Amino acid sequence: MPITGHDWEIHIVRSREETRVGKAFARTVGSYQVFHDGTAVAQLSGTIVERQGPGDNTRTGVSKHRRVAAGTYELHTHDGAGNEKYKTIGFTSSARINATPRPALRLSPTGSRTGILIHPANGYLASIGCLNPSSDLSGPDDNIPWSDSRSRVIALIDDLRAFLGGQFPTANNRRIPRCQCVIDGEP
């Protein structure tokens, strides 16, 4: 799926699935790149990690533990309503791994699935369907570094805020205008 070349876009391209010895599930590894009106923003790119495929936006059986379906999604600010783990506006300034709420953006609409987020991770993967930004991972034994992943999510939020200026929402659980997430591929 191509980007439109307009407004703020994050393009995710899935490239491989891999499984670490001793893990019961695979992870999907790909790349992400942010664009402003079709121009790549060099400092806003990297690796993205999700659960195994195939992509599935239903909630039956094991599908809730699969990656989200390829497609184009709106981005929303997030506040987990009773779940203080992740927020777009009001996330903690603490970089400690156990400090909450952690920074996040939400994809929507995602069919029967809810709470599909772009959020930081540590280790192999931190997802039952979410997307975890990271620096380069060369194979299944590489871990997502917490501080790097957290910094990448904050950079996405900060860049959206700067790009949109006064159009960026002032509350959580609101659609972020003039932006989208495009996810390609089923490796």
Side-chain angles (χ1 to χ4, degrees):
M1 290 181 186
I3 62 167
T4 66
H6 300 287
D7 296 323
W8 192 99
E9 297 176 286
I10 183 169
H11 189 206
I12 294 170
V13 179
R14 296 167 171 155
S15 56
R16 70 182 189 270
E17 280 193 3
E18 58 190 25
T19 306
R20 180 180 290 176
V21 174
K23 288 289 185 184
F25 57 90
R27 67 182 182 185
T28 302
V29 180
S31 62
Y32 74 91
Q33 174 67 63
V34 169
F35 294 86
H36 290 178
D37 294 316
T39 301
V41 180
Q43 67 273 24
L44 294 175
S45 64
T47 298
I48 199 101
V49 185
E50 323 168 64
R51 283 297 290 258
Q52 77 280 357
D56 190 342
N57 287 1
T58 67
R59 199 154 174 74
T60 59
V62 296
S63 67
K64 65 183 177 182
H65 295 289
R66 292 186 180 155
R67 63 181 175 244
V68 69
T72 301
Y73 297 93
E74 299 170 355
L75 288 174
H76 292 240
T77 57
H78 180 75
D79 180 354
N83 176 351
E84 292 293 314
K85 286 178 73 171
Y86 300 102
K87 285 187 177 186
T88 305
I89 298 168
F91 61 83
T92 183
S93 61
S94 173
R96 289 188 344 254
I97 195 166
N98 60 347
T100 58
R102 299 174 185 120
L105 294 163
R106 188 176 75 238
L107 279 64
S108 186
T110 52
S112 299
R113 301 191 53 192
T114 59
I116 303 298
L117 307 177
I118 298 173
H119 69 75
N122 184 59
Y124 180 70
L125 178 69
S127 173
I128 60 167
C130 296
L131 300 105
N132 305 143
S134 178
S135 52
D136 185 50
L137 302 172
S138 62
D141 292 329
D142 285 357
N143 284 323
I144 300 168
W146 167 255
S147 61
D148 173 75
S149 186
R150 182 178 183 278
S151 295
R152 288 172 183 275
V153 176
I154 293 170
L156 294 174
I157 294 168
D158 288 348
D159 188 65
L160 268 166
R161 187 177 281 118
F163 183 84
L164 293 171
Q167 292 181 314
F168 191 83
T170 57
N172 283 318
N173 298 327
R174 303 283 190 273
R175 184 178 187 279
I176 305 171
R178 299 180 47 221
C179 71
Q180 65 180 4
C181 176
V182 178
I183 301 176
D184 277 334
E186 290 289 334

